[in-house]
Amino acid sequence: MRRCVFSLACIFLILKVESSSLSSARTPCEDGWFGSSCQYQCHCAGSGTCDKHDGSCSSGCQQGWFGPACQYASMAFMAYDNQGREVRWLTDKNDASCNNGWRSTLKVTLRTPTIISWVRIVVKDSAKDIRIYLNIKQKGVEGETKCDSKDSAAMVDTRTYDIVCNSHDPVKEFSLFGTGVWSLCSLYISGGRNVALKQKTKQSSTYNTWNSSNAVDGKLDIPDNEISQAATCTHTKKDNYAWWRLTFSQPVDVFKFHIYNRRNPSRKDCCEQRLEGFHLTALGSQRVLYDHIDEETEPANMYKVRPSTRIKDVHAVKIKKGSSYLTLCEVKVFGELSCGDGQYGLGCEQCLAGRYGRRLAETCSETCGRDENLCEQTDGAC
Ligand SMILES: *[C@@H]1O[C@H](CO)[C@@H](O)[C@H](O)[C@H]1NC(C)=O
């Protein structure tokens, strides 16, 4: 298990040094992309483009996205107090509307059961106590997964904390309790990020220019026009055994798949039915970890494949068809990198162990070890 060595503050420092020394050498990313190899897609609100280095958005995140560089899918939910009344200040995405009552337990219900990885809470300016527990009901049983802000939170700023809370199964409901609920203003629930983008791909053969990387190019706008489609969808030749494969640069935990089909409303004879009955597998280093055969009776524009448990340590994803053409317009894989203990974030670079200040201070040296390049407990500096 890799240890968590850097705190958030260290990472910012490294990013700063890196950007000043390398920015002149590296070609900048295309608009709408960022990261060291332009592997992340911007998700800013409006037509805002993000910072090409760290992905930050001056306009805030696009609807449905949140978290570091707006890369995480924000899951929709409802919240209720212990008398069953709806709690709107928690769901209104307004960090200025907060709890003004004395509700000590809140029930949170996700609109769609989802495997989750972490939640973000925003508390009042004056909050001194952010102690919050999450109690996830899994398979109808409460208490199997309990997450505590003390052991698994990272401070983002003085009002914002991320609490890592990995569920094994799709979560329908959890409760929030602890004294911190009194200062609570907002809650955001992460359903993972698209870990497939710009990863390595291959297919059994390539028809014309419809190459395999077009399924991980982040382009969801699929025009009803073959010339344009050839630049954003994949297409094999008519193989005896047509397949497309995605290989992750690092193992990932997978929560769900979204597979975008080709659509040609102007052609009756073709082409969306070609994907019917596709076979998807998730592969570990040694064996098949997950197997799904499509059973939809009508071709769908987008297929949602939701495994019943988290698929851990996935190395590759393969989609195959028997004797046929195989065309995919986009494959999104929602999940997280399989980070070591005490780590989370886009590249596992965020360190729970590096927490500091206020009530989150205690464990900096404990979990990070005693190397000299660790963060200071007082202010997180290295
Ligand atoms: C695949 O096709 C896209 C769109 O035409 C193109 O931009 C890209 O360079 C191609 N990639 C490869 C590896 O050929």
Side-chain angles (χ1 to χ4, degrees):
M1 205 51 65
R2 267 167 58 201
R3 256 189 330 168
C4 210
V5 179
F6 297 114
S7 78
L8 212 54
C10 306
I11 295 302
F12 287 140
L13 212 73
I14 290 165
L15 287 180
K16 280 222 169 68
V17 172
E18 212 187 325
S19 65
S20 56
S21 59
L22 292 181
S23 56
S24 51
R26 199 187 284 147
T27 37
C29 299
E30 261 180 78
D31 277 356
W33 295 87
F34 73 98
S36 55
S37 45
C38 304
Q39 73 275 41
Y40 300 119
Q41 193 168 25
C42 304
H43 291 296
C44 301
S47 52
T49 50
C50 72
D51 181 283
K52 288 190 179 175
H53 189 73
D54 65 15
S56 58
C57 298
S58 53
S59 54
C61 300
Q62 201 176 29
Q63 206 191 347
W65 298 91
F66 83 113
C70 302
Q71 292 299 292
Y72 292 83
S74 176
M75 306 317 300
F77 64 95
M78 314 271 272
Y80 304 92
D81 68 11
N82 48 17
Q83 271 142 50
R85 286 176 303 216
E86 206 182 330
V87 172
R88 291 189 191 275
W89 52 262
L90 193 67
T91 53
D92 62 5
K93 301 209 159 64
N94 177 358
D95 296 346
S97 69
C98 305
N99 187 2
N100 51 15
W102 284 78
R103 304 172 185 99
S104 58
T105 301
L106 299 174
K107 196 174 93 184
V108 171
T109 308
L110 282 90
R111 276 190 217 257
T112 312
T114 314
I115 293 168
I116 66 169
S117 45
W118 54 279
V119 303
R120 172 165 288 186
I121 56 167
V122 182
V123 294
K124 287 179 192 170
D125 248 340
S126 54
K128 289 194 175 54
D129 187 354
I130 61 115
R131 195 72 186 270
I132 282 188
Y133 302 86
L134 253 82
N135 196 349
I136 295 180
K137 210 174 191 178
Q138 304 223 134
K139 299 198 172 112
V141 182
E142 196 138 341
E144 273 180 38
T145 306
K146 212 182 241 181
C147 306
D148 177 350
S149 62
K150 181 170 172 289
D151 302 325
S152 57
M155 187 183 190
V156 178
D157 60 47
T158 53
R159 293 185 61 200
T160 311
Y161 298 86
D162 290 343
I163 305 173
V164 170
C165 199
N166 285 305
S167 75
H168 183 59
D169 303 328
V171 173
K172 175 76 191 139
E173 195 179 298
F174 60 83
S175 56
L176 280 180
F177 61 99
T179 42
V181 170
W182 299 337
S183 336
L184 200 55
C185 304
S186 299
L187 172 73
Y188 302 87
I189 305 170
S190 166
R193 64 182 181 88
N194 180 9
V195 289
L197 274 178
K198 301 278 174 114
Q199 296 293 294
K200 227 166 85 186
T201 55
K202 220 173 165 180
Q203 59 190 2
S204 49
S205 64
T206 298
Y207 177 81
N208 218 324
T209 62
W210 305 58
N211 66 42
S212 66
S213 57
N214 287 342
V216 291
D217 63 0
K219 294 185 191 140
L220 300 179
D221 210 8
I222 302 146
D224 179 16
N225 162 322
E226 305 212 350
I227 292 170
S228 311
Q229 282 177 345
T232 180
C233 298
T234 73
H235 201 321
T236 65
K237 293 176 184 161
K238 191 162 188 173
D239 293 332
N240 284 330
Y241 176 72
W243 55 264
W244 174 90
R245 190 177 64 214
L246 159 68
T247 307
F248 297 106
S249 57
Q250 264 176 275
V252 297
D253 282 11
V254 173
F255 307 167
K256 64 180 177 187
F257 306 88
H258 286 178
I259 295 156
Y260 291 74
N261 199 357
R262 176 178 174 186
R263 291 194 65 237
N264 283 96
S266 60
R267 276 182 72 174
K268 284 271 178 302
D269 61 318
C270 177
C271 301
E272 49 261 50
Q273 69 278 10
R274 286 180 183 168
L275 200 52
E276 266 177 53
F278 69 85
H279 186 175
L280 178 149
T281 49
L283 307 157
S285 61
Q286 303 284 332
R287 59 191 183 94
V288 173
L289 302 173
Y290 177 74
D291 218 348
H292 169 88
I293 294 175
D294 162 55
E295 285 172 351
E296 305 266 352
T297 47
E298 288 292 316
N301 294 342
M302 195 255 276
Y303 294 85
K304 291 184 181 175
V305 179
R306 294 201 192 97
S308 58
T309 58
R310 170 187 292 250
I311 319 171
K312 287 188 180 161
D313 267 321
V314 177
H315 287 234
V317 170
K318 196 166 179 181
I319 295 175
K320 42 197 174 173
K321 278 281 297 184
S323 166
S324 174
Y325 299 104
L326 174 62
T327 288
L328 301 162
C329 284
E330 191 72 13
V331 177
K332 287 188 187 175
V333 180
F334 286 91
E336 293 270 7
L337 298 186
S338 306
C339 299
D341 270 352
Q343 299 170 309
Y344 81 112
L346 278 185
C348 298
E349 77 286 10
Q350 296 194 29
C351 184
L352 293 175
R355 58 186 181 262
Y356 49 87
R358 294 229 181 133
R359 304 244 167 170
L360 298 173
E362 303 93 341
T363 53
C364 187
S365 63
E366 225 172 84
T367 325
C368 285
R370 300 198 182 273
D371 293 63
E372 34 191 53
N373 57 351
L374 292 177
C375 66
E376 292 286 338
Q377 291 185 342
T378 46
D379 60 2
C382 301

